[in-house]
Amino acid sequence: MDWAVLELRLRTLEQFLNKIENAPRDKDKLTIGLEASRISDKIIHATEPRAFSTTEYEAIITNLEHVSLACFMDNMQWARQSIENIRKLSHNDA
């Protein structure tokens, strides 16, 4: 996986964040949040360490773990900030 693929996956996560924010009931938010958390976990497992520097890889994984936890906790601000942190890494690479 490279930065372009990772960006596409981050956009998918953002779509789920929007769904969580727009869900009418807490039960719906939890259901969508659990699915977003699972997707974040899948991205973690699909991210290959050799595609990024060690520092980038560790930061990506940490922030994806934060997204996963934030979705579960219905903390969209934290989730969005964690995604933005990953994007900042890709801009530092350019």
Side-chain angles (χ1 to χ4, degrees):
M1 175 190 321
D2 62 4
W3 287 113
V5 174
L6 183 57
E7 175 59 31
L8 291 172
R9 292 179 175 172
L10 293 176
R11 288 182 189 176
T12 299
L13 279 175
E14 286 180 319
Q15 290 174 351
F16 273 87
L17 299 183
N18 292 336
K19 288 179 183 180
I20 293 167
E21 289 174 331
N22 294 321
R25 300 177 303 165
D26 287 341
K27 180 181 177 184
D28 298 330
K29 288 179 184 229
L30 181 60
T31 300
I32 298 166
L34 287 171
E35 184 59 28
S37 180
R38 283 189 209 108
I39 290 170
S40 184
D41 290 342
K42 287 179 183 179
I43 296 171
I44 289 170
H45 294 293
T47 303
E48 297 185 30
R50 60 189 163 148
F52 306 97
S53 73
T54 302
T55 304
E56 289 171 338
Y57 177 76
E58 289 173 0
I60 290 166
I61 298 304
T62 298
N63 280 287
L64 286 170
E65 288 172 345
H66 291 177
V67 171
S68 180
L69 183 57
C71 287
F72 182 73
M73 294 175 57
D74 191 23
N75 187 334
M76 298 305 98
Q77 182 178 359
W78 183 24
R80 289 186 191 284
Q81 183 59 51
S82 297
I83 290 172
E84 188 57 32
N85 291 343
I86 295 169
R87 287 192 172 120
K88 286 178 186 175
L89 291 169
S90 72
H91 297 312
N92 291 339
D93 189 49

